[in-house]
Structure formats: C-alpha cells, structure tokens
Amino acid sequence: MKLHEYQSKAIFANYNIPIPSGKVASNAEEARQIAAQIGKKVVIKSQVLVGGRGKAGGIKVAATPNEAEQLADQILAMTIKGLPVRKVLVDEAINIAKEIYLGVVVDRAAKCATVMASAAGGVEIEQVARDTPEKIVRVQVDPAFGLQEFQARDLAFAVGIDKALVRDFVTIATGLYRAFVANDASLAEINPLVVTAEGKLIAADGKIVLDDNALFRHNDLEQLRDIDEESPAEARARKAGLSYVKLDGNIGCMVNGAGLAMATMDVIKFYGGEPANFLDIGGGAKADKVKAALEIILSDPNVKAVLFNIFGGITRGDEVARGIVDGLREVKTKVPMVVRIVGTNAEEGRKILADALMITAATLEEGAQKAVAAAQKQ
Ligand code: GDP
Ligand code: MN
C-alpha cells in the first residue's frame, strides 16, 4: 500500500525528520485558507500516488493566498498519469540550493535493508540508476544493529553534504531507517531532501510504501488507505481476500498459490502469450471466491481467455472443480476457459470440469498452449 506525500511526511515528522509546515486541502478555498495561515510563499502539490508530478505540472509555487486558490483549482482539475487529483498539499515553499536523494529499500539479495543516497536528487531515482548508477551510494544495514551513525556519515560525505550539516543528515537518515522498520515499509524515500539557501536540511517530498502482508499489525496505517486511489477491481479483490495485480496481457490467470501463479505466468509467456493478471485465490477455492475472482478477471476487457491452474492439495481437486463450476454458473461469459488441475482427486475434478464444457489440459504446458491458442482465435 502506497502512502500519499502528506501522509508520509506526517510519519517522517515523528522520526525527527524536518518537514515544511503545511496541510492537505480538498478544494481551492481550503487551499487559500491554508496559504493565508502559512503567511508566505507556498507550494501547491497534487496528491496522487505516482512520481513525476512536478514534470506533469502538478506542483506549482504561489506567492499569495489568492494565487494559491487559483493554482489549487487548476491542479485539482488535473489527471496525472491516469489518476485524478483529489487533494493538494499546501506547503510552505522552500528555497532550494541543492536536491539530494535519500531512500531505504529492502535488498532481497543481501537479505537486509539498504539505505541509498545520491547527490543527483530531485529527478526519479530509477532514471539515475539507469543512466548514472555510479551516482548512487548504498549501505547495507544489519537488522540487529540498525543504521549506524558511521554508516550515515559515510553516506553524507559520499553525497557531498556540508560538514556543518552532517549531524542533521545523520539524524534524518537514522530517522528514515527507523520509520521504515517501525512501519514495516518496503520503501521509505525522501526525494528531494533539500539543502535550503539558508543552509538547512528539509524533506521536500516523501514516499512510503507499506508491506501489505504486515498491515494487520498496523491498524493506524490501514486507516490511511485511500480507497479513491484503488481501482474497483483491486478494491474488490482485497475485500474478497484475493491477491490480484492487473497486467497488460489478454490471458486471465486463476491460480491457487502465489508461487504457482508466478510459474503459470512464466509458462504463458514462454508459449508466446501475455498474462492479463496475477491472481492467487488462496487455499480452499470455494465457489464464492472463484466467482469473485472470475468477475474481477472478466471485468478487464482485454481478457480473451482464462487459464485455471489448480493444485489439489489439502483442498481436493473435485472440491475446487465444483467451486469453479458453481462460480461459472453465476458469471455468464463466452470467454474460453482452459483448466489444468493436478493433485488429490484431480481425475474427478477434471471430469466435472469437462462436463461443464471447459477445455481441459493434462499438463501446465498443454494448458498454457491451449490458452494462448484460444486467446488468439478471439
Ligand atoms: P515529484 O515530482 O512527484 O517527485 O514531486 P516533488 O515533491 O519531488 O517535487 C518535484 C520538484 O518540484 C522538486 O524536485 C523541486 O525541484 C520542486 N519543488 C518541490 N517543492 C518545492 C518548493 O517548496 N520550492 C521550490 N522552489 N521547488 C519545489
Ligand atoms: Mn519527488
């Protein structure tokens, strides 16, 4: 789950990270009031869950409350990378002397968190990583000790922080790391961390991505979820307890198990197809879940065929098959359905599915090939 800039900054503030004073507004009048309260130049920032808002024109500086109102009105009417702007953050404007990147991510290969910093801040870090990877410095953090001061100091020197600001940089970097750990984040990022003309460090932007699998132990963070930002299909999947990620292909995937879902997508691609989604219906696969999953998959107009890849383990194959048939009965569709089912009671399951006019396959290879062929025919 991604947090908005204003939400991320509010969390940063609890970890000794300086942020500009400001408030979020949902209409132009509110923006004007906030600007008047701040009483100096402000920056109006669209709150959408994508990067590159600045380049897209979603960030503007206003000299007066009236101008803040006008600009907020303009920005609130914008759609950035497909996302309508529903809120703006009105922040005290900063005089930027230098923009630095500072972020904490999970480094899977190293099995620890890694803190990254770059003197090439402001622009998207993915671009820096592509074009000039040598401009990013990294330190790996031992989870038993946390980010050590000497490590933060090394980063400060590597990105050319002024001696007088090193102590503040260390406070910010260690604060960011603690915020990352305490909130079970997969990413915590300040881009840019600004060196102001007055010689201070301040977080001008903030981004936190939370690990959905840890949200159950952060009730307070779950409250921050912005349901307006979720697609209807994603919201539906979350409520039904399904893991669903929409992709750009045309073969819908219905699979029980996340690893199996990944393997299914790989095999579809191997045979020249493109998966339309990742979907893990989890254990059980009862009719109501299958029905919800099928409706979600079919709500994507690109879907030209659906491949079911089911492993009958603790849940027997015939049970899953009955769930699928019951689900299909309620979701009327002409989209071809290919099913591969193995494991406990697979034979019985296959018979039930063949009776329901589904295309059956004995192996995943065969299933993927049949699904690719069926999608091409449509
Ligand atoms: P992003 O484009 O979505 O990453 O949004 P940011 O919050 O990072 O803003 C993009 C750019 O706008 C920053 O890199 C700054 O150059 C500029 N910007 C943001 N806030 C301020 C501000 O208070 N004053 C000034 N002068 N520029 C700002
Ligand atoms: Mn940014």
Side-chain angles (χ1 to χ4, degrees):
M1 175 174 129
K2 291 180 186 167
L3 298 187
H4 281 295
E5 175 190 4
Y6 75 94
Q7 298 168 325
S8 305
K9 280 174 163 171
I11 291 177
F12 290 167
N14 295 331
Y15 291 87
N16 301 328
I17 299 172
I19 58 165
S21 63
K23 267 194 194 139
V24 75
S26 6
N27 60 57
E29 169 57 22
E30 265 172 46
R32 195 183 60 76
Q33 286 170 10
I34 298 165
Q37 258 169 30
I38 292 174
K40 43 184 154 172
K41 215 164 66 170
V42 292
V43 56
I44 313 285
K45 311 185 74 176
S46 52
Q47 297 297 289
V48 281
L49 296 174
V50 286
R53 296 164 302 161
K55 258 194 221 151
I59 294 176
K60 297 251 162 67
V61 178
T64 64
N66 281 340
E67 197 185 352
E69 181 175 355
Q70 275 170 25
L71 290 173
D73 201 43
Q74 280 173 26
I75 293 175
L76 283 164
M78 288 176 71
T79 298
I80 299 177
K81 297 183 184 169
L83 299 173
V85 180
R86 293 191 169 90
K87 290 192 188 93
V88 290
L89 174 63
V90 183
D91 257 1
E92 154 204 6
I94 314 165
N95 296 317
I96 299 179
K98 205 170 158 190
E99 301 188 60
I100 289 159
Y101 173 91
L102 184 64
V104 188
V105 292
V106 176
D107 183 341
R108 284 167 189 270
K111 299 175 187 157
C112 64
T114 291
V115 184
M116 302 193 293
S118 175
V123 290
E124 283 184 63
I125 196 68
E126 291 81 2
Q127 193 186 326
V128 182
R130 246 191 334 266
D131 303 343
T132 47
E134 70 282 359
K135 286 192 181 158
I136 303 176
V137 285
R138 296 178 170 81
V139 296
Q140 292 178 346
V141 184
D142 185 322
F145 299 111
L147 181 67
Q148 297 293 293
E149 274 194 39
F150 77 87
Q151 294 181 301
R153 266 197 307 275
D154 283 350
L155 287 174
F157 291 124
V159 299
I161 294 281
D162 210 73
K163 262 207 182 108
L165 288 176
V166 168
R167 185 180 291 271
D168 290 345
F169 181 91
V170 169
T171 303
I172 292 170
T174 49
L176 188 64
Y177 175 77
R178 284 187 295 120
F180 170 90
V181 173
N183 294 290
D184 286 312
S186 56
L187 172 79
E189 184 180 272
I190 305 174
N191 188 24
L193 173 63
V194 163
V195 183
T196 66
E198 299 80 22
K200 293 218 163 72
L201 283 172
I202 190 162
D205 190 10
K207 181 173 172 184
I208 293 180
V209 181
L210 300 168
D211 182 342
D212 289 335
N213 292 315
L215 271 178
F216 73 93
R217 54 185 189 190
H218 298 284
N219 262 330
D220 49 330
L221 296 176
E222 177 63 46
Q223 309 301 317
L224 298 179
R225 186 185 294 280
D226 185 346
I227 41 175
D228 286 341
E229 295 283 332
E230 272 184 306
S231 73
E234 280 168 349
R236 178 103 208 270
R238 187 168 49 78
K239 284 189 198 112
L242 307 163
S243 310
Y244 170 83
V245 180
K246 187 190 161 351
L247 301 167
D248 297 327
N250 61 3
I251 300 177
C253 303
M254 166 108 68
V255 187
N256 63 339
L260 194 60
M262 300 294 269
T264 306
M265 290 160 59
D266 281 350
V267 176
I268 288 173
K269 282 188 90 99
F270 181 79
Y271 286 109
E274 281 295 333
N277 65 279
F278 166 93
L279 188 132
D280 172 14
I281 54 174
K286 293 268 156 37
D288 55 340
K289 258 198 177 176
V290 173
K291 180 172 167 261
L294 207 52
E295 281 172 356
I296 291 165
I297 292 177
L298 295 173
S299 70
D300 175 356
N302 293 338
V303 170
K304 300 289 181 252
V306 180
L307 174 60
F308 291 71
N309 189 15
I310 303 295
F311 177 76
I314 296 167
T315 320
R316 302 186 330 254
D318 55 326
E319 269 179 65
V320 182
R322 255 176 236 113
I324 294 173
V325 172
D326 287 351
L328 272 178
R329 207 170 285 141
E330 293 188 43
V331 186
K332 301 267 177 285
T333 176
K334 290 208 171 69
V335 173
M337 307 275 160
V338 181
V339 61
R340 177 254 186 175
I341 184 165
V342 286
T344 318
N345 290 5
E347 203 40 62
E348 292 89 329
R350 219 169 286 140
K351 185 164 178 331
I352 292 168
L353 293 166
D355 289 346
L357 294 178
M358 295 183 76
I359 305 165
T360 59
T363 64
L364 176 52
E365 287 82 354
E366 188 191 331
Q369 283 169 295
K370 283 184 169 170
V372 171
Q376 272 162 4
K377 251 189 259 163
Q378 294 294 300

